[in-house]
Structures are given as C-alpha cells and as structure tokens.
Amino acid sequence: MAKVAVLSRTITSQTLGFAQALKMQRHEVILITSQDSALNANELSLSEEIEFPVLRCFHDWSALEAIKHFPKLLTHGIQVWHFVFSDCDLDQPHGAHFAIAQLAKVV
C-alpha cells in the first residue's frame, strides 16, 4: 500500500482517528506536526495511542521552513500527503502547507 503523510499542527483525536483508519487499510502512516513533545495531561493520553512515527520538524509553518525540510521529508518515500485542519477557526493553512503541496505536486 501507500506511504501516507498526515500533516497537522496539533495532534487531536480526529487526527489520530484518521491516521488509524489509514493504517487499518494497510497504509504506512507518518504524522508530521509542530506539536511540542511536552504535552499536558489530556494530550498525554492521546500521545500514548500514537502507533506511528512522528516528525516534529515544523515550528511556525512558513514556506521557507517547508522548503528547508522538504528534502528530509522526501527521504521517507511519502507517496500521499494529507493536510488535517481540526479546528477551522484556529487552524488555517499557512505558507508551509502551500509550499509542500506545490513541491509534492512536482515530485
């Protein structure tokens, strides 16, 4: 099956549910997030459910940051890129989302 990247600024139950559904369909899933590894109690219970590799390479989700990290992301052999926006009011697309989408399209 495909190697799928799930990109989300934060790790939420929706993000984990989506990633788990992909894994149940035999896809290889990688979570890409900017969520700090220092989690509060509620987030800690979510992190214990994570069965996927987690890359925390983004901080401000700028286009420059995406261009800088894209070669490293390519080494993982990602075939499908999914952007997850859990909260439409707070979680809006940033420059990194547009840059990654364009770079992935070219590859």
Side-chain angles (χ1 to χ4, degrees), residues 22-42:
L22 289 171
K23 185 170 175 108
M24 290 177 73
Q25 294 179 5
R26 299 182 187 227
H27 294 293
E28 197 173 329
V29 178
I30 296 176
L31 289 176
I32 301 173
T33 185
S34 59
Q35 184 164 333
D36 193 353
S37 57
L39 304 171
N40 64 36
N42 186 26

Side-chain angles (χ1 to χ4, degrees), residues 48-60:
E48 292 172 357
E49 300 172 18
I50 298 175
E51 306 170 356
F52 323 104
V54 178
L55 301 177
R56 291 180 172 90
C57 53
F58 288 99
H59 298 290
D60 60 1

